[in-house]
């Protein structure tokens, strides 16, 4: 297996697990400090996933981050 696939798989699994944990915490109605910790962990995991993808795909993705986010979020903003 290629090392790039391993890095992306691990980063993706950690990110997914952190978001599942956040969803479970919200569903269980945990206290506010626990929710804050879960949100911070999910945010860091998502950012780590983004930078892992950027590192694997190359510097051009890092340089084009603003354009990538604009394309990804366009459907949610109502833009075409």
């Amino acid at each position: 297996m290629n090392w790039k696939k391993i890095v992306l798989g691990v980063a993706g699994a950690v990110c997914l697990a952190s978001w599942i944990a956040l969803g479970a915490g919200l569903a269980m109605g945990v206290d506010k400090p626990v929710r804050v910790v879960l949100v911070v962990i999910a945010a860091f995991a998502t950012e780590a996933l983004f930078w892992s993808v950027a590192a694997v795909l190359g510097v051009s993705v890092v340089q084009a981050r603003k354009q990538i986010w604009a394309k990804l979020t366009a459907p949610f903003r109502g833009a075409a």
Side-chain angles (χ1 to χ4, degrees), residues 16-80:
L16 181 62
S18 69
W19 281 99
I20 290 172
L22 175 60
L26 292 175
M28 293 186 322
V30 295
D31 294 332
K32 187 174 181 178
V34 177
R35 275 185 294 187
V36 170
V37 170
L38 289 173
V39 167
V40 169
I41 291 171
F44 278 121
T46 304
E47 190 70 15
L49 175 63
F50 178 81
W51 286 106
S52 298
V53 170
V56 167
L57 295 180
V59 177
S60 62
V61 172
V62 175
Q63 293 169 343
R65 182 178 184 186
K66 185 176 180 179
Q67 295 162 342
I68 291 169
W69 280 115
K71 287 183 181 180
L72 288 175
T73 59
F76 303 110
R77 292 185 316 230

